[in-house]
Amino acid sequence: MTQPMKKSAYKSQRKAEQERLEKQRKLMRKLILATGIIVVLGIIAAIIFTPKSDPTNFAYDTLPVLGQKDAPVKIVEFGDYKCPSCQYFSQNVKPQLEKEYIDTGKVSLYFMNFPFIGEDSQTAALAAQSVFHQNNEAFWKYYDLLYKNQQDEHTVWATPDFLVKLAKDNALPVDYDKLQSDIANATYEKEVNSHASTARAAKVQSTPTLFINGKEFTGEFSDYAGIKKAIDDALAAGTSK
């Protein structure tokens, strides 16, 4: 038969149990604190040591350029000739850029195709690339003409006949037969597709999208004040990519 525990022995055992539990609680608190510190330090390290996204590198020498090639700030526009927002940019923002920055040698503007609205977006891009390869200055006149004569984005208007006639009617200084042939034979299809691949790799979501010295401008394309600030910041940084 088991003998009942003496009261003094019970108290002694209870005290020892309480001391053991208290030691466990202190140990757990230390472990939790240490774990928390490690987590915080890990987050700080991740913020400090995670590399910033590198600027996108563009093959500027292969692109249409408006302005001086050695301008300290280079802007790349991704556009679709059927895009109404691109039309707005070409008619309202680009002229301000030209007057304040491009004509003064501070900025050069480049264009890359991101045709996604319709099949004739691709046709217009092929035509514009043909004009560019014949005459860089004529390209920018054609760029303006395409947006000036832009029609409803839901209709197929950028047909080969329309695109060639647009060049002829405005006496663009290019070979019209070559322009027609380049469109029909999709001479610059790989080039246009390469532009689009670059856009997708750079996570371009819409047109127009601007990159200023390789870094995407995340403000509104219609916000000239915002674009101006980004340009001035790039000029102050004194580097171009």
Side-chain angles (χ1 to χ4, degrees):
M1 184 174 176
T2 305
Q3 297 293 323
M5 183 179 293
K6 292 183 178 180
K7 189 173 182 180
S8 59
Y10 172 79
K11 287 183 178 181
S12 177
Q13 183 176 335
R14 180 62 178 166
K15 183 179 180 182
E17 180 67 16
Q18 289 175 339
E19 289 176 350
R20 184 180 67 81
L21 291 173
E22 182 61 26
K23 286 181 181 179
Q24 286 183 343
R25 282 193 289 268
K26 287 181 179 179
L27 179 60
M28 287 300 295
R29 283 196 292 268
K30 288 181 180 179
L31 288 173
I32 291 170
L33 179 61
T35 301
I37 292 172
I38 291 171
V39 170
V40 171
L41 290 175
I43 292 171
I44 293 172
I47 293 172
I48 294 174
F49 296 108
T50 297
K52 296 180 180 179
S53 57
D54 293 329
T56 300
N57 293 314
F58 297 105
Y60 294 107
D61 290 342
T62 68
L63 304 176
V65 57
L66 183 63
Q68 298 178 13
K69 291 184 178 180
D70 61 352
V73 173
K74 294 174 171 57
I75 298 177
V76 174
E77 174 200 351
F78 282 98
D80 182 325
Y81 295 109
K82 292 192 67 175
C83 167
S85 296
C86 295
Q87 181 191 55
Y88 180 93
F89 177 83
S90 73
Q91 295 179 344
N92 296 278
V93 179
K94 176 174 161 282
Q96 295 184 74
L97 288 174
E98 289 186 76
K99 182 179 179 180
E100 188 169 0
Y101 291 105
I102 296 174
D103 293 346
T104 58
K106 297 176 182 177
V107 167
S108 52
L109 176 65
Y110 297 80
F111 183 82
M112 295 187 75
N113 296 283
F114 190 29
F116 69 94
I117 291 177
E119 290 184 9
D120 52 331
S121 295
Q122 180 83 356
T123 310
L126 292 172
Q129 288 305 109
S130 173
V131 171
F132 160 60
H133 282 285
Q134 293 189 55
N135 186 323
N136 179 74
E137 290 186 12
F139 167 85
W140 291 101
K141 293 178 182 177
Y142 198 53
Y143 167 103
D144 289 333
L145 286 168
L146 283 167
Y147 286 122
K148 182 179 179 181
N149 292 273
Q150 186 187 83
Q151 299 174 33
D152 190 298
E153 64 182 304
H154 301 294
T155 64
V156 178
W157 58 266
T159 63
D161 288 344
F162 173 87
L163 295 165
V164 175
K165 186 175 185 298
L166 184 64
K168 285 182 178 179
D169 289 349
N170 290 275
L172 218 62
V174 296
D175 184 327
Y176 307 123
D177 290 336
K178 185 176 189 312
L179 173 58
Q180 191 158 29
S181 173
D182 284 343
I183 297 171
N185 296 318
T187 303
Y188 297 105
E189 183 176 40
K190 287 185 179 179
E191 198 166 273
V192 171
N193 291 345
S194 176
H195 289 188
S197 294
T198 300
R200 287 190 288 271
K203 302 188 187 317
V204 172
Q205 301 294 320
S206 61
T207 56
T209 292
L210 306 178
F211 282 76
I212 300 175
N213 280 354
K215 296 181 179 180
E216 183 179 355
F217 173 68
T218 56
E220 292 293 327
F221 69 87
S222 58
D223 176 19
Y224 182 71
I227 295 173
K228 175 179 169 61
K229 183 182 184 306
I231 291 172
D232 289 342
D233 288 347
L235 286 169
T239 59
S240 62
K241 296 293 181 181

